[in-house]
């Protein structure tokens, strides 16, 4: 594409006034749009999709359709809340992947169409990098930012990674799950217990009422900094299966009547095991690399036990820890906007014919 000449002249023109970045995030089931003006977050609007609840998981086809319905009002609201008009926009950042392809196509196409109509450049953002860069959002709450290099534990429904962050655009995955992600383990175990989707927040809630030592689940023995959660999931399942057999009942509800606090204790034990697995590898990575700035990001970083573990490890091992505000843990456009702002300053624009992709590394 002949983008460079056009983009350079456009860039010079834009630099004369305020830098206004509009971002669009549509990688899964949240439609989100945010605006950053001269480095400060001015709005972050999220429309969640309730349509998936009855199916116990995200239905890709329904997600794409809901994005189509949501995207215009969400972008419109983000601009209004930020106090800017579409004519003020300097560039449009969008999530290019990884994610559900149909969902990504809605955000990408919208970003391209709007950018073409406004004659502004587009900036593609890796969703996972966005999660990490959420730690740099200036939202007026005095959020502390890590300095490079730092380690980031990136834990979501689809990823469990330890990322060595060397610069805003230089990240290396030094460890990752070889099977399920931590969030996936929470969601699948929650489903077995008959809890709604997504199960992570339910596990967190019930765990507060349970005994974390009641059920000792299996922990993986994997080399290096990699993770595995499939064995834990099986151990959880087998524990329940054995309890059902031992009490001569067939359903979890029947079992819960025989064992007081069953769900609470199972949730607390599962959560403690997941947190322990995550933190032990992170501790090893921090020690081996001699890094003491440690951050957490992604949907699972909303988990209260994981957040507490960060505080405890921070005190014990003299880490400076960075825990995102809840609003930046799950999918949001503020983080995409921040990543887009960095790329804008680095003049890293994207050609109009670039396509989204479902799977990418960081
Ligand atoms: O990053 P995210 O919003 O979406 C992607 O996977 O990209 O993460 C969603 C995951 C789900 O697995 C959800 O159950 C989990 O984050 N989650 C939690 C909590 N809140 C969300 N897991 C444990 N405790 C929570 N409080």
């Amino acid at each position: 594409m002949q983008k460079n000449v056009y983009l350079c002249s456009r860039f010079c023109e834009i630099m004369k006034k305020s830098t206004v970045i509009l971002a669009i995030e549509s990688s899964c089931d949240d439609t989100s749009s945010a605006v950053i003006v001269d480095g400060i977050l001015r709005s972050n609007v999220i429309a969640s999709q309730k349509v998936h609840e009855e199916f116990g998981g995200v239905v890709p086809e329904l997600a794409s359709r809901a994005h189509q319905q949501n995207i215009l009002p969400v972008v419109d609201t983000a601009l209004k809340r930020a106090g800017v008009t579409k004519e003020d926009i300097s560039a449009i950042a969008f999530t290019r992947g990884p994610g559900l392809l149909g969902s990504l196509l809605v955000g990408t196409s919208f970003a391209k169409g709007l950018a073409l109509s406004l004659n502004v450049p587009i900036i593609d953002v890796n969703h996972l990098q966005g999660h990490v860069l959420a730690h740099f959002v200036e939202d007026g709450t005095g959020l502390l930012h890590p300095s490079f290099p730092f380690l980031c534990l990136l834990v979501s429904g689809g990823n469990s990674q330890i990322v060595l962050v060397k610069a805003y655009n230089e990240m290396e995955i030094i460890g990752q799950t070889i099977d399920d992600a931590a969030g996936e383990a929470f969601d699948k175990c929650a489903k077995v217990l008959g809890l709604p989707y997504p199960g992570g927040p339910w596990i967190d809630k019930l765990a507060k009422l349970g005994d974390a030592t009641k059920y000792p689940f299996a922990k993986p023995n994997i080399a290096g900094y990699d993770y595995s959660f499939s064995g834990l999931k099986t151990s959880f399942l087998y524990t329940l299966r054995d309890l059902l057999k031992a009490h001569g009942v067939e359903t979890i509800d029947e079992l819960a009547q025989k064992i007081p606090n069953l769900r609470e204790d199972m949730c607390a034990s599962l959560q403690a095991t997941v947190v322990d697995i995550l933190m032990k590898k992170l501790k090893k990575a921090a020690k081996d690399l001699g890094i003491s700035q440690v951050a957490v990001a992604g949907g699972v970083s909303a988990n209260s036990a994981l957040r507490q573990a960060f505080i405890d490890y921070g005190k014990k091992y003299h880490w400076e820890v960075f825990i995102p505000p809840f609003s930046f843990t799950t999918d949001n456009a503020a983080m995409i906007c921040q990543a887009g702002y960095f790329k804008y300053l680095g003049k890293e624009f994207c050609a109009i014919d670039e396509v989204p992709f479902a799977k990418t590394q960081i």
Side-chain angles (χ1 to χ4, degrees):
M1 281 298 289
Q2 287 290 320
K3 55 168 183 160
N4 290 343
V5 175
Y6 156 71
L7 290 177
C8 282
S9 63
R10 183 71 195 136
F11 185 77
C12 294
E13 192 188 309
I14 288 162
M15 287 309 281
K16 289 181 205 145
K17 49 181 191 172
S18 274
T19 299
V20 179
I21 308 294
L22 171 77
I24 292 163
E25 152 66 30
S26 68
S27 63
C28 191
D29 61 335
D30 290 317
T31 318
S32 182
S33 181
V35 174
I36 283 181
V37 179
D38 292 330
I40 309 294
L41 181 72
R42 295 270 283 263
S43 64
N44 182 34
V45 178
I46 304 175
S48 299
Q49 303 177 358
K50 297 270 172 232
V51 65
H52 308 286
E53 274 171 14
E54 61 178 294
F55 299 100
V58 177
V59 183
E61 178 71 23
L62 296 179
S64 315
R65 289 178 198 206
H67 281 307
Q68 286 281 10
Q69 289 173 328
N70 292 342
I71 197 154
L72 194 56
V74 164
V75 169
D76 191 48
T77 308
L79 289 171
K80 284 194 178 123
R81 280 195 197 158
V84 296
T85 66
K86 61 185 190 320
E87 287 72 28
D88 297 318
I89 296 171
S90 313
I92 301 175
F94 66 97
T95 304
R96 188 172 165 197
L100 300 173
L101 204 56
S103 292
L104 291 165
L105 276 166
V106 177
T108 304
S109 304
F110 189 91
K112 286 181 181 181
L114 185 58
L116 281 173
S117 75
L118 297 172
N119 217 9
V120 297
I122 50 171
I123 302 168
D124 61 325
V125 174
N126 178 310
H127 179 80
L128 301 175
Q129 290 195 359
H131 270 301
V132 174
L133 296 176
H135 285 284
F136 294 89
V137 174
E138 295 283 0
D139 66 346
T141 62
L143 204 64
L144 292 176
H145 311 310
S147 46
F148 303 112
F150 66 93
L151 284 178
C152 186
L153 175 69
L154 179 52
V155 269
S156 67
N159 296 277
S160 294
Q161 305 175 333
I162 300 178
V163 184
L164 174 59
V165 190
K166 298 173 192 168
Y168 81 84
N169 56 357
E170 200 185 346
M171 302 186 194
E172 184 190 342
I173 299 167
I174 59 167
Q176 61 186 320
T177 181
I178 58 166
D179 40 55
D180 291 349
E184 205 176 343
F186 277 137
D187 295 341
K188 285 180 178 166
C189 291
K191 196 170 181 178
V192 173
L193 284 181
L195 300 172
Y197 178 86
W202 287 93
I203 300 252
D204 194 350
K205 200 173 161 189
L206 290 179
K208 291 194 172 82
L209 309 169
D211 175 1
T213 62
K214 182 89 181 189
Y215 300 105
F217 298 124
K219 288 185 188 166
N221 190 9
I222 309 282
Y225 310 126
D226 283 343
Y227 290 118
S228 165
F229 292 100
S230 68
L232 169 61
K233 205 180 60 188
T234 310
S235 170
F236 186 90
L237 205 63
Y238 283 4
T239 302
L240 267 180
R241 183 199 60 185
D242 294 347
L243 286 171
L244 286 166
K245 202 173 165 198
H247 287 81
V249 291
E250 292 195 347
T251 68
I252 302 296
D253 283 341
E254 287 168 334
L255 189 62
Q257 295 202 338
K258 303 229 171 211
I259 308 177
N261 245 28
L262 170 78
R263 285 191 174 92
E264 290 83 351
D265 291 343
M266 289 287 282
C267 288
S269 302
L270 174 74
Q271 180 175 273
T273 311
V274 170
V275 170
D276 189 53
I277 293 169
L278 290 171
M279 295 309 289
K280 284 218 167 102
K281 287 289 172 94
L282 189 61
K283 183 184 94 180
K284 179 172 160 53
K287 186 167 177 256
D288 292 352
L289 298 175
I291 291 182
S292 59
Q293 295 222 357
V294 190
V296 62
V300 180
S301 68
N303 183 267
S304 59
L306 183 60
R307 294 168 87 88
Q308 187 57 49
F310 260 74
I311 295 167
D312 297 343
Y313 272 64
K315 281 188 194 137
K316 193 163 175 192
Y317 300 108
H318 309 291
W319 293 352
E320 198 178 342
V321 295
F322 300 89
I323 303 168
F326 284 108
S327 53
F328 298 158
T329 56
T330 44
D331 292 345
N332 66 88
M335 66 188 197
I336 303 303
C337 211
Q338 183 62 40
Y341 180 64
F342 281 141
K343 286 185 100 173
Y344 180 87
L345 297 179
K347 302 181 194 173
E348 292 178 58
F349 300 115
C350 162
I352 203 79
D353 60 352
E354 297 289 11
V355 291
F357 29 81
K359 287 191 192 300
T360 51
Q361 288 289 16
I362 204 155

